[in-house]
Amino acid sequence: MSQSLESDDVVGVITQQIEAGYGMTTDELRAAVTAAPGADPGATTILRWYGHLTDAQEALTRAEDALVAELGSTPGELDDPAMALAHQVNAAVAVRDGRAMVVRYLLDGNAPGNRAAWSGPSRTAGLAPALRATPVARPAVTTVPLRGVVR
């Protein structure tokens, strides 16, 4: 089973991927996109979803803090308010992880159907295709006589 990351580590890893891919901090990238929103549609989309991701992370942190406070005030078995908070934490994790998946997809230039992100020349310069695609030669179809078949 894979080792789980801390909540903030998910956002931190994605932040590092964005910054490494664009060669600037997310604040610098946000300023560049604000100055010229149509220059790189992929960056605009990535930053929009990155903002959704950071919002979801903040909501998760608040839900976790509320759950910890509730658990600290009522030791013993979980009561209905604590269970409700636990469900809120689970829902917040699902939202955060879903948004993280979208950002990771947008960052993956090789993902099926993803043509917007990482398509600029600065991000693909010097990269050769991973696979050489050539059509496979198909053998000629031969007929095989069948026994008992009248034609």
Side-chain angles (χ1 to χ4, degrees):
M1 193 160 183
S2 67
Q3 182 180 7
S4 64
L5 293 172
E6 292 289 324
S7 293
D8 291 333
D9 288 347
V10 172
V11 176
V13 167
I14 292 175
T15 301
Q16 290 174 353
Q17 291 172 344
I18 292 170
E19 290 175 351
Y22 283 95
M24 60 181 77
T25 67
T26 53
D27 291 336
E28 293 169 338
L29 182 59
R30 191 172 287 113
V33 166
T34 302
D40 190 345
T44 304
T45 303
I46 288 170
L47 283 178
R48 181 176 56 246
W49 279 98
Y50 178 75
H52 294 321
L53 172 62
T54 56
D55 292 344
Q57 179 60 51
E58 291 170 9
L60 173 58
T61 302
R62 287 191 304 273
E64 287 173 334
D65 291 345
L67 177 60
V68 168
E70 178 68 25
L71 292 175
S73 67
T74 57
E77 292 204 21
L78 294 179
D79 55 359
D80 288 340
M83 285 303 293
L85 289 171
H87 288 300
Q88 285 180 357
V89 169
N90 284 338
V93 167
V95 169
R96 190 271 322 267
D97 289 351
R99 291 177 180 180
M101 287 174 47
V102 170
V103 176
R104 286 185 180 128
Y105 167 78
L106 293 171
L107 291 172
D108 183 1
N110 294 322
N114 185 6
R115 298 173 194 259
W118 306 102
S119 59
S122 63
R123 293 182 289 280
T124 59
L127 297 178
L131 299 173
R132 299 268 180 219
T134 56
V136 176
R138 296 183 181 249
V141 177
T142 59
T143 58
V144 177
L146 300 174
R147 291 185 193 173
V149 176
V150 178
R151 291 187 187 194

